[in-house]
Amino acid sequence: MKLLIKNGTVVFPDGTKKCDILTENGKITRIADKINENCDTINAQGKHVFPGLIDMHVHLREPGFEGKEDIESGSKAAVAGGFTQVCCMPNTNPVCDNAVVVTYIKHRAAEVNLCKVNPIGSITRGEKGEELSDIGKMAAAGAVALSDDGKSVMDSKIMCLAMQYANDFNLICLAHCEDANLVDGGVVNEGKNSTLTGLKGSIRATEDIMIAREICLSESLSIPVHICHVSTYSGVQLIREAKARGVKVTAESCPHYFSLTDDIITNFDTNTKVNPPVREEVDRLAVIKGLKDGTIDCIVTDHAPHSLKDKQVEYNLAAFGISGIETSFALSYTKLVKTGILTLAELADRMSAAPARVLHLDGGEIKEGGTADLTIADLNEKYVIDSSKFISKGKNTPFNGTEVYGKINYTIVGGEVKYSNN
């Protein structure tokens, strides 16, 4: 099967260039100024062609919580958001802590046949933090990383062993950094707005203490570790300093952390409730600076869809999480590229190449001989985010009504069009 993409502005690691791309049998076979081929053709005139976006931190909820999301609805939402690959966290029911669940997820994703779905296995059995999961068997079944996301592994010895064992199988631990003892029921960032609202706050140290521990373990072991959803200015600085002295630490953050501050909680909208919480302007600016200078490697969504009943309750009882996979690209382009903070090449790196590097995934770059995973977007198209039109079952977003630029036109996975807004 051949597919020709003509007249697009292609985003390469060193900049952009207008050219044609020919794909055949799932690979990019030719990139040239002009290609003439008798095959299916997409006219990308006025559009930008990115390497297929990769979201290394999503919650697809299946198995066990299909009322919130399932692999089919999540995959449909992913390709609508421009993502050719997603990596799903293990806090399902049953927890993805064994080869059987890893295999189930991969089989379901193959049946759906939209984006590539890469399972992340849990670090500990049942995400209880007490006993290591069957790491070797999960790796053999196709797990691409390990995490107890939603919880920190509080026992430092367990985390140390997990990092060593994971490294033996060329996997990396993705660390949810939250001191469970210190959070003490906090539901928002502790500060002026938590005082004004009367909502219990969670201090930055809750996150920073665990970031520091993971850095210490990585440095002592000389083993990579990845920090999930960084939200604090002090956490960014800890990671920056660690990288400067050669620690093998990588990190990610999300659009809500570089777009919003905790001013959003003052209307008690439970769609603003997320973990870690959205923090203050000093934190937002630090995340942006971290994305610019490479301290924060990846932009992820932490896509956490919930049903209405999970959110339409009082703030303290509402579930944590934002449904973000359909808004991430437009928010990132609008907030970071149109404002002159990142170049298009840097955005492509943070949303595609860097996740591929961190997790050793195939993809992340447009090159001859490379995988034909591509995302085509109209960067000039302006629209207003409307959560009622989300393909995801989760409509929970604080960005409803936000004006953004950057409409996904096509998502191409292995040379096949999996989404078209036409």
Side-chain angles (χ1 to χ4, degrees):
M1 176 183 173
K2 291 184 179 182
L3 177 67
L4 177 62
I5 301 162
K6 290 192 66 67
N7 307 314
T9 300
V10 181
V11 181
F12 294 106
D14 58 352
T16 61
K17 181 182 178 182
K18 191 168 183 179
C19 53
D20 297 349
I21 300 173
L22 180 65
T23 78
E24 184 174 2
N25 298 325
K27 296 292 184 181
I28 297 172
T29 55
R30 190 179 173 202
I31 301 172
D33 291 342
K34 292 293 179 183
I35 300 174
N36 294 312
E37 190 82 16
N38 184 22
C39 63
D40 290 343
T41 302
I42 293 173
N43 183 5
Q45 181 71 41
K47 313 295 193 298
H48 282 72
V49 184
F50 290 82
L53 304 183
I54 301 172
D55 191 344
M56 61 179 285
H57 189 147
V58 304
H59 299 268
L60 296 185
R61 306 300 190 195
E62 186 179 353
F65 302 109
E66 289 85 355
K68 300 171 186 282
E69 191 80 288
D70 56 50
I71 290 171
E72 181 173 2
S73 64
S75 295
K76 287 178 177 178
V79 294
F83 290 96
T84 58
Q85 295 191 62
V86 298
C87 304
C88 54
M89 287 295 180
N91 55 339
T92 51
N93 185 22
V95 170
C96 185
D97 61 4
N98 59 78
V100 173
V101 181
V102 171
T103 301
Y104 169 80
I105 291 168
K106 290 183 70 68
H107 277 300
R108 281 290 296 127
E111 290 174 350
V112 171
N113 192 28
L114 288 170
C115 63
K116 298 168 184 174
V117 177
N118 304 301
I120 296 170
S122 67
I123 294 173
T124 64
R125 293 185 187 276
E127 290 198 327
K128 294 179 180 179
E130 299 170 352
E131 182 183 2
L132 290 182
S133 299
D134 294 327
I135 293 173
K137 292 180 180 178
M138 289 192 295
V144 298
L146 301 173
S147 182
D148 272 12
D149 188 61
K151 303 175 183 177
S152 278
V153 178
M154 292 302 298
D155 188 317
S156 297
K157 179 64 173 178
I158 294 287
M159 188 64 178
C160 179
L161 291 172
M163 290 171 62
Q164 291 173 304
Y165 197 13
N167 192 58
D168 288 341
F169 294 97
N170 201 32
L171 300 180
I172 188 171
C173 288
L174 315 182
H176 175 108
C177 293
E178 179 184 36
D179 188 319
N181 300 310
L182 192 56
V183 68
D184 192 29
V187 295
V188 295
N189 177 66
E190 182 170 294
K192 177 187 71 174
N193 287 315
S194 65
T195 302
L196 287 173
T197 58
L199 295 169
K200 187 170 179 58
S202 175
I203 61 175
R204 289 183 183 86
T206 301
E207 182 173 344
D208 297 345
I209 286 169
M210 300 307 288
I211 290 176
R213 186 197 71 173
E214 312 307 21
I215 288 171
C216 289
L217 287 173
S218 177
E219 189 166 18
S220 294
L221 299 170
S222 192
I223 289 175
V225 71
H226 180 82
I227 309 299
C228 293
H229 39 52
V230 177
S231 73
T232 69
Y233 77 86
S234 36
V236 174
Q237 187 60 22
L238 284 168
I239 296 163
R240 179 178 290 114
E241 292 170 357
K243 285 191 169 189
R245 63 178 186 268
V247 181
K248 298 176 181 179
V249 59
T250 53
E252 65 184 44
S253 195
C254 313
H256 37 281
Y257 299 123
F258 62 71
S259 301
L260 303 172
T261 70
D262 64 350
D263 288 345
I264 62 171
I265 71 170
T266 57
N267 63 5
F268 295 93
D269 179 2
T270 58
N271 289 320
T272 67
K273 185 178 179 182
V274 64
N275 190 24
V278 173
R279 302 194 189 269
E280 300 176 62
E281 181 69 357
V282 64
D283 304 291
R284 187 185 74 85
L285 293 175
V287 168
I288 289 172
K289 184 178 179 181
L291 284 165
K292 176 60 180 177
D293 68 17
T295 298
I296 300 175
D297 304 80
C298 309
I299 296 172
V300 304
T301 66
D302 193 8
H303 176 67
H306 288 290
S307 62
L308 287 175
K309 69 179 182 179
D310 295 319
K311 287 290 192 178
Q312 290 185 344
V313 293
E314 64 180 89
Y315 205 99
N316 285 329
L317 300 178
F320 289 98
I322 290 171
S323 180
I325 206 162
E326 294 172 73
T327 58
S328 179
F329 175 80
L331 286 166
S332 299
Y333 173 72
T334 303
K335 302 293 184 180
L336 299 175
V337 179
K338 279 190 71 67
T339 55
I341 296 165
L342 297 185
T343 66
L344 285 173
E346 288 170 334
L347 181 67
D349 178 79
R350 308 302 186 266
M351 298 193 74
S352 185
R357 287 195 302 270
V358 171
L359 297 184
H360 312 294
L361 301 176
D362 187 22
E365 185 179 350
I366 297 174
K367 60 183 180 181
E368 289 185 355
T371 301
D373 290 353
L374 302 164
T375 302
I376 303 176
D378 185 345
L379 302 183
N380 296 314
E381 185 169 348
K382 179 172 64 174
Y383 68 99
V384 175
I385 293 172
D386 182 351
S387 60
S388 70
K389 296 180 179 178
F390 283 1
I391 295 171
S392 169
K393 293 181 182 181
K395 316 301 179 186
N396 48 302
T397 176
F399 294 108
N400 193 45
T402 301
E403 185 177 272
V404 291
Y405 288 82
K407 193 74 171 179
I408 300 298
N409 292 147
Y410 295 92
T411 303
I412 299 163
V413 182
E416 296 184 18
V417 175
K418 298 298 184 179
Y419 171 81
S420 167
N421 71 347
N422 297 322

